[in-house]
Amino acid sequence: MCQITKSISTLKLEDLLTKLSDLEATLHEFSYESLTAAEAQELKDTLERFRTLLQDRMKQESQEDSEKEFKSVFNMEEETNKSETDSEISTAHGELAEHSSFGSTRFTAYLKESELSNRQLSYINAILAAAEIDTRITNDPITPLPAKEVQKNEDDSRQENLKTKAMSSTNKKASKTGHSSKLGNSVPSKLDLNPILEDCLGKKDLLKELINLFKRNALEFIGQLKIHLENHDFEAVRFASHKIKSGLRMMNTRELLVIAEQIELESRKKQDIKHLKFLFNCFVTEYPEVERAIDKAFEELN
Amino acid sequence: MILEKKHLLLAEDDELLASLLNYRLEKGGYKVHLAYDGREVKEFLKEHTPDIIVSDIMMPYFSGIEIVDHVRNELNLQIPVIIISSAGNEENVLNAFEMGANDFISKPVSPSELLVRVGRELAKM
């Protein structure tokens, strides 16, 4: 990130600041349906850090001196730290892609037209890649992604996010409860119903009955949550999400369990109804796939 | 000689878990009475005295802690009470113990483990 800032600083800093302000203005319209509160905060923080760096630079030196100093620092680093720099490009690319921090096509077009070295261009390419992803949150009317691609980006991003959180939270639980074999991976199409079948003493009829109950409970939960969220009834949301967890855990549905846990956690804070609605939408989107996976797993039982 | 089945009151508002535990406890030789919320528990206890109670903490109307309080301080019953709690609910478990609960089991509940705990508590009587 620091490298990117340095490379960009060879441009006119005042212009960069202006463009940054433009970018921030466009980001006011980002949607909570696409970003969680935490992600939105990270986005803001990233932009703020970038702005601070630019302002610091302006205060320290005149534009000419700044360019000279940057080039000398840049060259020095390039010689002594080439591999580290390459790794930083990759890291910066990852960070940018993850945070979707730079989303203005005007901004990137401006950077593209500027006279830049190859290495500086590689930084800009990282920004461009992130900007491409970012079109989904800035609703940029100039270069919107095709609907399918936007959906895919959202799905991939959400899945990754949930997978990471699932791994993190379930691993903690696993160490606490010793149920590591039941938790930890996140593949909705592969569900293992054998543990619950064992609890049912191998009685498939009972398992079938439990699956039907699970489906009914999940649909009831969806209906209840929709109403509670409309009423901003955080306590009812917390209670409902707490209750559904037991069944989700029993059916080994890790993805939905992680979402329910987050809904319960967020509803305790009683602050962010938009984030709760986002999580709820994740649950609703995920549920049919999980239901199919359960049916499939049941059919495949010996 | 025919041994009479022990009566167990299972208070659990999650139907899924209640069904599974009910099946396993009955298979384990208990006569299970199901209650899906705290109010049903109190209603049942007005007319019956089970040999043991297994109760979830978070339930509509009356929590598991309130049930323990009711059993110990209002009904003055010394029957064993096992609390089912969610992981990370240690404070509630402590409260339940203070009220007079005998044991607790964390979710996810293993039916086999519950059977062992129930048997152990009844053996103490």
Side-chain angles (χ1 to χ4, degrees), chain A residues 176-177 179 198-201 203 206 209-210 213-214 216-217 238-239 242-243 246-247 249-251, chain B residues 12-17 19-20 23-24 27 56 58-60 86-90 107-109 111-112:
Chain A
K176 229 176 176 180
T177 62
H179 285 70
E198 279 176 33
D199 282 342
C200 294
L201 303 175
K203 207 165 178 261
L206 177 62
E209 192 184 319
L210 294 180
L213 265 177
F214 167 78
R216 202 185 70 193
N217 286 351
R238 187 182 71 82
F239 191 83
H242 177 82
K243 277 297 154 192
S246 173
R249 200 178 280 118
M250 197 187 285
M251 287 295 158
Chain B
E12 171 60 66
D13 63 325
D14 176 7
E15 274 183 86
L16 197 60
L17 182 58
S19 298
L20 178 62
Y23 174 74
R24 288 298 302 273
K27 279 279 174 190
D56 188 15
M58 274 185 83
M59 283 191 301
S86 304
N89 229 341
E90 287 78 10
K107 288 182 184 176
V109 179
S112 304

Side-chain angles (χ1 to χ4, degrees), chain B:
Chain B
M1 189 174 79
I2 298 171
L3 288 175
E4 200 176 311
K5 283 185 176 179
K6 295 282 186 187
H7 289 251
L8 183 149
L9 173 59
L10 175 61
E12 171 60 66
D13 63 325
D14 176 7
E15 274 183 86
L16 197 60
L17 182 58
S19 298
L20 178 62
L21 294 181
N22 181 27
Y23 174 74
R24 288 298 302 273
L25 289 164
E26 284 192 340
K27 279 279 174 190
Y30 297 98
K31 171 71 186 161
V32 181
H33 305 273
L34 273 172
Y36 291 107
D37 60 52
R39 206 160 52 185
E40 285 183 23
V41 173
K42 286 194 174 184
E43 282 298 314
F44 179 84
L45 291 174
K46 275 182 188 172
E47 295 180 9
H48 307 89
T49 303
D51 295 297
I52 186 168
I53 297 173
V54 176
S55 173
D56 188 15
I57 283 191
M58 274 185 83
M59 283 191 301
Y61 304 115
F62 300 104
S63 71
I65 296 169
E66 288 170 305
I67 295 301
V68 179
D69 184 36
H70 178 67
V71 169
R72 295 283 182 259
N73 301 319
E74 290 172 30
L75 302 176
N76 290 313
L77 294 172
Q78 292 310 310
I79 54 172
V81 181
I82 298 176
I83 289 294
I84 298 173
S85 81
S86 304
N89 229 341
E90 287 78 10
E91 197 181 326
N92 280 335
V93 173
L94 285 176
N95 286 337
F97 275 126
E98 279 174 18
M99 289 289 171
N102 298 73
D103 198 359
F104 85 100
I105 184 165
S106 283
K107 288 182 184 176
V109 179
S110 153
S112 304
E113 186 184 341
L114 180 63
L115 274 166
V116 170
R117 288 178 186 267
V118 166
R120 197 173 62 184
E121 286 306 318
L122 286 170
K124 289 179 189 171
M125 296 298 290

Side-chain angles (χ1 to χ4, degrees), chain A residues 169-235:
Chain A
S169 69
T170 52
N171 285 345
K172 275 183 207 163
K173 273 201 169 61
S175 64
K176 229 176 176 180
T177 62
H179 285 70
S180 56
S181 62
K182 289 186 179 182
L183 301 166
N185 112 35
S186 169
V187 186
S189 55
K190 270 281 175 189
L191 276 177
D192 185 9
L193 292 177
N194 280 302
I196 188 171
L197 185 62
E198 279 176 33
D199 282 342
C200 294
L201 303 175
K203 207 165 178 261
K204 277 192 179 179
D205 289 352
L206 177 62
L207 178 56
K208 186 69 189 166
E209 192 184 319
L210 294 180
I211 288 172
N212 289 337
L213 265 177
F214 167 78
K215 289 177 183 175
R216 202 185 70 193
N217 286 351
L219 292 175
E220 276 177 12
F221 169 74
I222 289 170
Q224 283 172 358
L225 228 65
K226 192 172 169 57
I227 294 166
H228 297 326
L229 286 171
E230 287 303 316
N231 296 334
H232 291 211
D233 189 345
F234 290 102
E235 190 54 31

Side-chain angles (χ1 to χ4, degrees), chain A residues 134-148:
Chain A
D134 200 44
T135 49
R136 67 186 168 87
I137 57 168
T138 54
N139 296 322
D140 192 329
I142 303 168
T143 54
L145 284 179
K148 273 187 180 174

